[in-house]
């Protein structure tokens, strides 16, 4: 039997904490869609680093500066993306590797980042118009694409959240395979899974 590492235990502790917070404050209590979306985004930001830490090849995804590039994509709300970037930057390191958080607008990010190594992409807004091209970009660059928004994992995003009475990581296994991303078995065991037919 495989012994859990300190990172495994830390990831699990984060998941338990997140689950307990969302159990105490269920999503059904929010009457407005904007509030519900904001809560999902904040919860997703806390879960995103744990998913990145579960990527078995994360150490090979540093950029020229030796840092993991985490890209926040927005459509038309840079202020919200800046707020999220500040929160994510406070994580500091993932699996001991320093991180760099960049913000990009969905319409042009692929041209600027086409020759860069990206460890993960987080969607700060629903991006239905270009979602397919963003999914294709993430698969080509072998990086985790995370969306906190309902339905995106089923559309081909590699990671998100499943929420009922608690929150769990929600993984699109087919999307991860298409991007050649291998996830730690421990993380897979605590996740909900979606497989495309």
């Amino acid at each position: 039997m495989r012994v859990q590492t300190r990172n495994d235990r830390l990831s699990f502790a984060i998941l338990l904490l997140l689950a307990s917070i969302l159990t105490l404050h269920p999503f059904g209590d929010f009457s407005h869609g904007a509030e519900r979306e904001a809560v999902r985004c904040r919860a997703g930001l806390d879960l995103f680093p744990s998913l990145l830490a579960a990527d078995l090849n994360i150490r090979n995804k540093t950029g020229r500066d030796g840092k993991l590039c985490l890209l926040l994509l927005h459509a038309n709300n840079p202020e919200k993306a800046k707020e999220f970037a500040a929160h994510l930057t406070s994580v500091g390191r993932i699996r001991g590797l320093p991180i760099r958080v960049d913000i990009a607008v969905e319409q042009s990010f692929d041209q600027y980042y086409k020759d860069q190594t990206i460890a993960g992409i987080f969607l700060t807004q629903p991006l239905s118009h270009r979602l397919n091209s963003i999914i294709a970009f993430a698969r080509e660059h072998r990086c985790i694409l995370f969306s906190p928004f309902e339905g995106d994992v089923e559309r081909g995003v590699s990671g998100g959240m499943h929420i009922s009475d608690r929150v769990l990581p929600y993984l699109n296994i087919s999307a991860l395979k298409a991007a050649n991303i291998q996830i730690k078995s421990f993380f897979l065991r605590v996740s909900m899974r979606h497989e495309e037919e």
Side-chain angles (χ1 to χ4, degrees), residues 4-192:
Q4 288 183 6
T5 66
R6 183 174 179 275
N7 284 328
D8 285 339
R9 291 191 297 272
L10 180 60
S11 295
F12 186 61
I14 291 169
L15 291 174
L16 285 178
L17 176 62
L18 189 56
S20 65
I21 290 169
L22 292 174
T23 299
L24 292 171
H25 303 284
F27 283 88
D29 290 349
F30 294 93
S31 57
H32 301 291
E35 289 178 68
R36 183 183 175 103
E37 186 175 290
V39 173
R40 286 190 71 101
C41 285
R42 287 194 296 272
L45 277 176
D46 290 333
L47 186 55
F48 184 46
S50 296
L51 177 53
L52 292 168
D55 182 345
L56 289 173
N57 295 310
I58 195 69
R59 295 192 178 281
N60 299 324
K61 297 182 179 180
T62 55
R64 298 182 196 97
D65 59 0
K67 297 179 180 180
L68 297 172
C69 178
L70 309 183
L71 187 59
L72 301 185
L73 278 188
H74 71 92
N76 55 15
N77 194 338
E79 292 307 314
K80 180 179 179 183
K82 286 176 186 175
E83 176 188 330
F84 289 171
H87 180 81
L88 195 54
T89 299
S90 69
V91 171
R93 292 175 175 266
I94 294 174
R95 299 257 303 268
L97 299 167
I99 64 172
R100 183 181 85 245
V101 181
D102 288 358
I103 298 171
V105 64
E106 64 166 323
Q107 290 88 347
S108 57
F109 88 97
D110 45 358
Q111 292 305 308
Y112 182 75
Y113 287 93
K114 65 181 178 180
D115 297 322
Q116 297 193 43
T117 302
I118 301 172
I121 300 172
F122 186 95
L123 304 185
T124 65
Q125 293 178 263
L127 305 179
S128 55
H129 291 93
R130 288 206 63 211
L131 186 59
N132 288 340
S133 62
I134 293 166
I135 290 168
F137 179 92
R139 291 182 181 185
E140 181 183 346
H141 286 76
R142 298 182 175 184
C143 67
I144 288 172
L145 175 60
F146 189 100
S147 172
F149 306 109
E150 293 180 79
D152 281 357
V153 170
E154 291 84 354
R155 293 184 187 102
V157 168
S158 51
M161 302 177 301
H162 175 81
I163 298 170
S164 52
D165 58 330
R166 58 187 177 136
V167 64
L168 291 173
Y170 188 24
L171 303 178
N172 185 319
I173 302 302
S174 301
L176 290 167
K177 287 178 181 175
N180 198 25
I181 295 171
Q182 296 177 300
I183 298 296
K184 288 182 176 182
S185 58
F186 172 78
F187 197 89
L188 289 172
R189 286 198 301 274
V190 298
S191 301
M192 293 287 292

